[in-house]
Amino acid sequence: QVQLVESGGGLVQAGGSLRLSCAASGRTFSMYTVGWFRQAAGKERELVAAISGRSVLIYYADSVKGRFTISRDNAKNTVHLRMNNLKPEDTAVYYCAAKSTGQRLDIPDYDYWGQGTQVTVSS
C-alpha cells in the first residue's frame, strides 16, 4: 500500500507559478506510477500529468503541455508538479494518485489517492 500527502497549493495570480509536492510512504515507491489529477468545482476530475516508476514515461494533458512539469525523486519518495504560467482555468483541487507501474499512464485507474490541495489562480 501507498499513502500519499500533497502540499504546495495556494493562491497565485495569473501568470504565476506553483510547485506541488506529493510525499509517499512505503519502501517500493519506484514500483508505482504517479499521476496528478485536478477537479474544478462542478467539473469532472481530469488527469493532468503522470510519470512512470523510473521516470521513463511521462504524460501531460494537452491543456497543460508546455506549462506543467512532473518529476520524481524515488530516493525521497516524492513527486513534484511544477506549474508555470498559471491561468484562472487551472483553479482546482489537485490530487496525486498512484498505481502499480507497467500500466498505461493516461488511463485514470489509479488505486491510491491523497487528500488534495487547493490551487486558486486569480485573474
Side-chain angles (χ1 to χ4, degrees):
Q1 279 219 347
V2 178
Q3 293 183 325
L4 305 168
V5 179
E6 302 95 336
S7 61
L11 173 64
V12 64
Q13 289 187 332
S17 299
L18 282 174
R19 189 179 80 155
L20 305 183
S21 297
C22 176
S25 65
R27 293 177 292 179
T28 58
F29 185 57
S30 62
M31 296 177 65
Y32 292 90
T33 286
V34 176
W36 281 98
F37 290 76
R38 67 185 181 188
Q39 187 165 22
K43 295 188 177 181
E44 293 188 356
R45 186 171 59 195
E46 64 168 332
L47 175 65
V48 296
I51 187 167
S52 62
R54 297 194 182 276
S55 306
V56 173
L57 299 175
I58 290 177
Y59 165 85
Y60 294 105
D62 288 342
S63 57
V64 306
K65 279 181 181 176
R67 301 188 298 123
F68 289 13
T69 303
I70 190 170
S71 62
R72 68 189 294 161
D73 184 342
N74 287 339
K76 296 182 179 180
N77 280 17
T78 57
V79 174
H80 299 293
L81 184 69
R82 177 69 180 182
M83 306 185 294
N84 294 329
N85 190 22
L86 283 161
K87 304 175 181 180
E89 52 264 41
D90 294 317
T91 295
V93 178
Y94 283 71
Y95 300 89
C96 70
K99 62 180 178 180
S100 295
T101 200
Q103 305 172 59
R104 279 182 59 174
L105 275 64
D106 60 334
I107 303 298
D109 56 345
Y110 286 67
D111 300 310
Y112 307 101
W113 294 83
Q115 81 289 350
T117 185
Q118 176 71 46
V119 171
T120 303
V121 184
S122 63
S123 57

